[in-house]
Amino acid sequence: MKSPKERAKELVAQMTLAEKCAQMKYDAPAIERLGVPAYNWWNEALHGVARSGAATVFPQAIGMAASFDKDLMFQTATAISDELRAKYNDYRKFGGTEIYQGLTAWSPNINIFRDPRWGRGHETYGEDPYLTGEMGVAFVKGLQGDDPNCRKVDATLKHYAVHSGPESLRHSFDVHVEDGDLYETYLWAFKYCIDHADPSAVMGAYNRVNGEPACASETLLQKILFGEFGFEGYVVSDCGAICDINRNHQVTANEAESAALAVNNGCILNCGDAYKWLKTAVLLGMISEETITASVEKLFEARFRLGMFDKDGPYDQLTDEVVESPEHLALSRKMAQESVVLLKNNGILPLDPKANVAVIGPNADDKSVLLGNYNGTPSQYTTLLRGIQEAAQGKVRYARGCHIHRATVGQWEEHPLREAILAAQKSDVVILCMGLNPTIEGEEGDAYNGDMSGDKTSLDLPASQEALIEEILKVGKPTVFLNVTGSCVNLTREDQACDAVLQVFYPGAEGGKAVADILYGKVSPSGRLPVTFYHNDSELPRFTDYSMKGRTYKYFQGKPLYPFAHGLSYTEFAYENLAFDGANVTGTVKNTGAMASGHAIPVFVKDPEEEGVNCRLAGFARVELEPGQEAGFQVELCPEILSLFQEPQRLVALVGGVDGFQVNQ
């Protein structure tokens, strides 16, 4: 049996130059004389099959990272690839695929969430390269499957590289970054995923890096990605990024030059229309036909490896019965449970199910905050309000209370504040459902805040919500605050005044049920923050400054409101017999409380004499313990992280958090 590479070479040898060039665009046309169906390369699977009708919608990526659960992430990605394959099996019956119907998923987003003002940060796995790498590896493996002869789905690491806002400048911005930050922060997870998961593809970013457009960078692509990292897959441009090279970066004079520069440096698939000029570039001597041929051979090798030209593939039997199956919905609910982070609790939680509660806030009954962005369409979903209504045994009163961001109310509009005050007065407990939504923090073009193109102007909640919070607090009832955001916001006031604070992220279609499970004690919270929660943005460097100094738990020198990896439980855990041999941390952990719970064990490593770096996450494990149960654990520390330290004999381990139990070698 011939290999995908051999089959691709034979097929491409029969194509004309014009046919080959056309196959390098994301919307590749059919070549009927060769039996090649039309294929659209663009599909999305960030936290479920996206933009392709009904699908199981899992929590947004940032929430899944909060689980610190690699096994559950792998199961989630496997479920997503099941649904994506099943949809493709039906779509291909039409003789070709349209956008969002193929097997090439442009996910995951493994950029580093270096600054909480970035609107797209909730698409990532947070601020730490190691956590991002581990969750990325699990996700890629789940998407791509384990069949040695047929890839289930192509995973695409994006956006390569050094890409995290500002959204409004992304088409022309030139990021200046030193090698230390480049390799330890911005490129680390890409290399880790390439080394440990063999991803099929990498997507180039819009911006320049040290003067070179990312999608056509000899340094990023030829020298580092293909050379140093040994990447053997294909590179696709972000959408419109090739035209940006001449129109906005002004590195080249026209699209033909931009296309030639990108392909010559290894970006062989174009989301956009710049590659329609490739034939012209060949005729003008900017690029050789041999380079075009080699590029198209690599693209068809990917299609053959996915089984697109075969009729007896191992995944051909997947049908739409798997889409939103009971098993996948249960998995989504479990991931949502594990993504919730308990930030503060004075003992009010879990709630008495017989208590009368007031559910107040613009995010209480909003479907959009379940879904995040790059999402599918759930045929069934449970908002936070509905989840609480279904779980509560007492009276549940609901009031929206305010607009999500507008501070003023029109003369003839509904005035919802007094209803909220009355609901609070008549209830035993208030549950405030506040935060942001994907129209406030998101991608350029998706968000309402056009001036910032989806980025946040500050870390404060909208003034409309701040005013509502103060009015409800005046009522004097016990108050639980649910922060529904994909990022850090300033929760200083809420931490001071509320009895409990939970970070919910964008929890997926089953999110309302999962949050109710936490609130009423059906499940103990076990999530940990994948980002630092600062008091305000005045503590941070300029948004446009890509130096890591003063950012994230590794380099921030102040005291955050909630540190990276912070997360409380309804029970207590005790560590004993902790030992650190320089490569592993071992010990036992016991559930000393009265409730069963999952527990993530992050291990950080630090050199007490190293200046500038507080510590680095180097490993984590997760256990599930019944009350009174104890278990031994071993966390194998990541060699690539340990290699970042110059004096390994000086290292100490921190178990359980950045301020955890210190264990000497």
Side-chain angles (χ1 to χ4, degrees), residues 357-362 364-366 385 389 396-401 419-420 423:
V357 300
V359 180
I360 296 172
D365 200 33
D366 182 2
L385 172 64
Q389 288 172 328
V396 177
R397 291 179 171 86
Y398 163 62
R400 183 168 60 93
E419 181 190 29

Side-chain angles (χ1 to χ4, degrees), residues 25-28 39-55 80-92 97-109 120 123 139 143 152-159 201 203 234 236-239 269-271 306 308 373-377:
K25 292 176 73 251
Y26 78 101
D27 49 350
Y39 182 69
N40 194 302
W41 289 78
W42 189 349
N43 207 346
E44 303 284 355
L46 182 66
H47 56 117
V49 180
R51 303 173 178 177
S52 191
I80 293 170
S81 60
D82 280 350
E83 296 193 11
L84 194 150
R85 259 286 174 177
K87 286 177 173 289
Y88 170 78
N89 289 341
D90 280 338
Y91 287 137
R92 71 186 301 190
T97 61
E98 298 177 330
I99 193 169
Y100 311 130
Q101 296 177 359
L103 293 176
T104 43
W106 291 353
S107 310
N109 183 337
R120 296 187 71 180
E123 298 176 28
F139 192 84
L143 278 190
K152 191 177 183 185
V153 170
D154 273 5
T156 306
L157 308 179
K158 67 183 185 185
H159 309 85
M203 174 179 281
Y234 58 93
V236 56
S237 76
D238 208 337
C239 298
L269 182 63
N270 176 213
C271 182
L306 286 162
M308 291 184 181
N373 69 355
Y374 285 94
N375 56 279
T377 304

Side-chain angles (χ1 to χ4, degrees), residues 485-499:
T485 67
S487 60
C488 155
V489 293
N490 178 6
L491 297 179
T492 305
R493 175 60 173 154
E494 291 73 20
D495 181 74
Q496 173 195 33
C498 296
D499 298 277

Side-chain angles (χ1 to χ4, degrees), residues 17-36:
L17 175 60
E19 288 171 336
K20 286 183 287 190
C21 292
Q23 293 299 311
M24 296 173 68
K25 292 176 73 251
Y26 78 101
D27 49 350
I31 308 176
E32 294 182 2
R33 69 182 185 84
L34 297 178
V36 175

Side-chain angles (χ1 to χ4, degrees), residues 288-591:
S288 69
E289 184 169 356
E290 289 76 17
T291 299
I292 299 292
T293 299
S295 300
V296 179
E297 287 175 353
K298 182 173 281 192
L299 293 175
F300 273 92
E301 181 183 352
R303 291 181 66 177
F304 277 113
R305 188 175 57 236
L306 286 162
M308 291 184 181
F309 298 92
D310 302 316
K311 297 181 179 180
D312 55 351
Y315 307 111
D316 290 353
Q317 302 309 311
L318 286 168
T319 71
D320 65 356
E321 292 297 319
V322 303
V323 177
E324 290 188 297
S325 67
E327 294 81 9
H328 289 183
L329 294 178
L331 188 62
S332 178
R333 183 170 181 172
K334 180 173 177 56
M335 180 57 93
Q337 292 167 347
E338 292 193 11
S339 74
V340 173
V341 183
L342 180 60
L343 301 175
K344 174 189 176 179
N345 184 22
N346 67 2
I348 190 174
L349 296 179
L351 294 174
D352 179 352
K354 296 180 181 178
N356 299 319
V357 300
V359 180
I360 296 172
N363 281 345
D365 200 33
D366 182 2
K367 176 183 177 183
S368 77
V369 301
L370 303 177
L371 306 183
N373 69 355
Y374 285 94
N375 56 279
T377 304
S379 65
Q380 51 188 306
Y381 61 91
T382 305
T383 64
L384 303 181
L385 172 64
R386 177 60 62 86
I388 293 167
Q389 288 172 328
E390 293 178 355
Q393 298 173 21
K395 174 73 174 179
V396 177
R397 291 179 171 86
Y398 163 62
R400 183 168 60 93
C402 70
H403 188 274
I404 183 74
H405 64 80
R406 275 200 293 115
T408 58
V409 180
Q411 180 180 359
W412 293 350
E413 289 185 276
E414 175 189 11
H415 286 53
L417 174 59
R418 289 181 176 178
E419 181 190 29
I421 295 172
L422 290 170
Q425 290 172 342
K426 296 175 182 179
S427 300
D428 302 315
V429 177
V430 174
I431 302 173
L432 289 174
C433 301
M434 304 285 200
L436 306 176
N437 69 26
T439 72
I440 298 177
E441 53 177 352
E443 185 174 6
E444 178 202 33
D446 290 345
Y448 88 95
N449 57 341
D451 291 342
M452 289 295 291
S453 297
D455 296 326
K456 300 204 292 285
T457 57
S458 79
L459 301 189
D460 294 336
L461 289 174
S464 59
Q465 296 185 52
E466 291 183 335
L468 174 61
I469 291 167
E470 295 304 324
E471 291 299 323
I472 298 303
L473 289 174
K474 289 177 185 177
V475 177
K477 296 296 178 74
T479 302
V480 176
F481 188 86
L482 303 184
N483 188 52
V484 190
T485 67
S487 60
C488 155
V489 293
N490 178 6
L491 297 179
T492 305
R493 175 60 173 154
E494 291 73 20
D495 181 74
Q496 173 195 33
C498 296
D499 298 277
V501 181
L502 297 95
Q503 177 63 28
V504 176
F505 298 107
Y506 298 134
E510 296 291 297
K513 295 177 182 178
V515 170
D517 292 338
I518 299 290
L519 289 173
Y520 288 101
K522 184 176 181 179
V523 175
S524 174
S526 61
R528 291 182 178 270
L529 289 179
V531 291
T532 300
F533 268 55
Y534 307 95
H535 291 89
N536 56 67
D537 57 310
S538 67
E539 301 174 300
L540 297 169
R542 289 178 297 107
F543 186 17
T544 53
D545 182 359
Y546 269 73
S547 168
M548 290 305 296
K549 183 178 180 180
R551 298 185 184 280
T552 76
Y553 78 91
K554 290 165 67 174
Y555 307 104
F556 181 61
Q557 297 304 309
K559 183 174 178 58
L561 177 61
Y562 303 118
F564 175 88
H566 173 67
L568 305 176
S569 173
Y570 290 159
T571 189
E572 300 290 334
F573 296 94
Y575 293 106
E576 294 181 346
N577 305 316
L578 294 175
F580 173 37
D581 65 5
N584 302 273
V585 169
T586 57
T588 59
V589 59
K590 183 176 182 179
N591 182 345

